Amino acid sequence: MTGDENEPVVTVTRRDGIPVVHLHGDLDDDSAPAASRALSEAATSGAGRTVVDLSGTCFADSSILHVLLEAQKNHAAAGLVLVLAGPLQPVVRRLFDVTGSGRAFHMTDSLATAMTC
């Protein structure tokens, strides 16, 4: 890592047995495959929910939105819950608002809330 706070980083941790996919930095088509893999693996983890931590996301384009929508579809089909956790940066919030896709997700303002909602 170069130390650039906007460098795209996708990591997965577990918190109380729940997979948390952390999407950090500027996310676009180059980082979409890593995000997709992480979300697919989380869906098969055996937990009833997956939390996506977007609090460190500085920018996300339509390719990331597509990954999130696909993950939502796959989680719902498997009877799992996908929760997006903020707080969201204004540019990320705008992506959901402009596309009208925010209503497709369960969204919370914090990771703590996403773990228990």
Side-chain angles (χ1 to χ4, degrees), residues 1-48:
M1 193 154 140
T2 64
D4 180 357
E5 68 183 41
N6 293 336
E7 181 177 344
V9 178
V10 177
T11 57
V12 180
T13 60
R14 289 185 82 78
R15 187 168 168 184
D16 298 327
I18 298 170
V20 180
V21 178
H22 304 271
L23 301 179
H24 180 84
D26 289 349
L27 302 167
D28 58 19
D29 191 49
D30 291 335
S31 47
S36 181
R37 277 191 303 277
L39 288 162
S40 293
E41 290 172 13
T44 62
S45 70

Side-chain angles (χ1 to χ4, degrees), residues 42-100:
T44 62
S45 70
R49 80 173 53 225
T50 298
V51 173
V52 182
D53 179 8
L54 296 172
S55 64
T57 305
C58 303
F59 170 83
D61 72 3
S62 62
S63 60
I64 296 300
L65 179 58
H66 174 76
V67 166
L68 292 171
L69 288 166
E70 189 68 22
Q72 173 61 25
K73 181 178 89 173
N74 293 339
H75 276 71
L80 306 172
V81 177
L82 181 73
V83 182
L84 306 185
L88 301 179
Q89 295 293 323
V91 69
V92 177
R93 169 64 67 191
R94 195 172 312 118
L95 176 67
F96 293 106
D97 291 345
V98 167
T99 61

